[in-house]
Amino acid sequence: MPKELIFEAKGMRKEFGPTVALKDVDFSLYRGEIRGLIGENGSGKSTIMSIASGMQPATKGTMVFKGADWNPHNMVEAQLHGISMILQEANTIPGVTVAQNIFAGHEDEFSRFGVINMKKMYQAADEVLARFGMDWIHGRDLIDRYTFEDRKLVELVRCVTEDTEILVVDETTTALSLEGRAILYKLIHKMTEEENKAVVFVSHDMDEILEQCTALTVLRDGEIKGNLDRAAMEAPDAVKNIRYMMVGRDIGEKYYREDYDASHLEEVALELKNITFGNIKNFSLKLHKGEILGLGGLSGCGMHDIGHAAYGLEKLDSGRVIRKGTEIRNPLDAIENGIGYISKNRDSEALILEGSIQDNIVLPSIPDLEKTTFIRPLDEKKMASAEIKRFRIKCRNGSQYVNTLSGGNKQKVSFAKWTAKGSDVIIMDCPTRGVDIGVKQAMYGLIEEMKKEGKAILMISEELSELIGMCDKLIIMKDFKVTKEFTRAADLKQTDIIEYMI
């Protein structure tokens, strides 16, 4: 029985000034299908579906949805007609309740004579959250009290309704905990297998794509380089072929570190001494020069809080953060003492979205660039250009605004500002989140070089494969406490670690 076509784009082209994001792409989606979209940062994979979901218009091309011409003016119109997109970055409304986020734009369902029945809205929110398996989130709570991961789940609830025919998941799993991912996976398989709807799954995670998707489209530089069915995705050489289509070259087998030498210099580069704040009690660690120290666990275990504290972002009740005898009380102290911080929440904590790529990269280095009383523009441009080239940031030039970049290219900028600064201690919170496989490989190589140079790295990650592959020592946390420590070893496996996280 032939599959039913639900969406089709013909000759889709998208231009941002001189930059061509999509080059006359033809794309088809069928009912009952979870179609993966994979490609390097800036390859155009998110652009296709952002046009289909009404976020932005195409420069040219046509679309057909459920047999009719399709040209939505905005995301609200697209969602009302059946195409919903959950974005990579935070998209909740701050300062209001969970229920108000879920039913934003639909308040009239709970109002009479212009007065909204909030009790009824809270009850409806709790019911829908429970139906999605999210009963720890409550409709009457302010959205701000929840973690970034939980807010992404609230977005999912808001996006998916009975009318949703196509759900677009754009790099969302990079922001979710293991529990959150399980909820999302269950949902998309229910939609496609039981309800005959369609899902477009945009991701950089090859393992995730191959495990969850029933078909795959690979993009490079705004062009489709291949369409694979399930049989082709299960072929022995599938991963190698997909990587080649993505990058246009053989990136080789080396990915993580190949050595198992966990040694480092004796000098302590950063020390946390019995720090207490929030749910963290009397936590201590020593990070040495030439060491990659990992912090792992489930989302909400406290590891991200430790990263905040190490950079001076938390007000401590007791204890101290010390760098070469100097106490770190705030981020300015950290920067002045050679500490850099790559935040997991790059849009709100790491980048000035309305600023240029150059301004973001040089910001921590301004004191170093000052010559007497002014900064030479040429020096700023030279510094930024070197990092743009190093990280292969896809942009017109350094003056392009950061908010116009793809998620992965934003992450490159947040990384580049500290390599430009030459920081000796770098706190990396989910450093490769939303970054494609080629850039991940390059970043891991750079981290390895930093270790050899004697730099100290605190790597916080929810990806066990990343921690096992890169760290000299791995500290596992659960419920804001350390449950186990592991030393780098050839036989260390994820199964050895998971029991101490759950």
Side-chain angles (χ1 to χ4, degrees), residues 406-464:
S406 67
N409 280 298
K410 287 178 184 174
Q411 187 71 344
K412 296 179 196 179
V413 174
S414 66
F415 206 108
K417 60 196 260 190
W418 301 116
T419 55
K421 172 70 174 171
S423 302
D424 292 320
V425 177
I426 303 184
I427 302 158
M428 302 180 175
D429 195 343
C430 299
T432 61
R433 175 178 165 247
V435 171
D436 64 63
I437 190 169
V439 177
K440 265 191 181 183
Q441 186 184 48
M443 283 184 172
Y444 292 144
L446 180 62
I447 292 169
E448 194 172 349
E449 285 301 313
M450 288 177 173
K451 171 183 166 61
K452 292 175 183 176
E453 292 168 4
K455 295 185 186 295
I457 296 165
L458 179 62
M459 180 182 284
I460 304 162
S461 178
E462 294 161 23
E463 303 293 337
L464 283 182

Side-chain angles (χ1 to χ4, degrees), residues 186-240:
K186 182 178 179 181
L187 171 68
I188 63 176
H189 284 285
K190 180 175 183 289
M191 287 181 66
T192 55
E193 295 165 15
E194 298 178 21
E195 300 169 6
N196 202 31
K197 297 178 178 181
V199 173
V200 178
F201 201 89
V202 183
S203 178
H204 285 303
D205 190 326
M206 185 83 71
D207 293 335
E208 180 179 58
I209 283 276
L210 294 177
E211 184 175 342
Q212 302 299 330
C213 297
T214 59
L216 178 61
T217 295
V218 186
L219 288 103
R220 184 173 80 244
D221 296 331
E223 298 178 311
I224 291 178
K225 294 297 180 181
N227 288 296
L228 291 78
D229 59 15
R230 190 66 217 172
M233 292 166 67
E234 292 174 348
D237 57 352
V239 172
K240 183 179 179 181

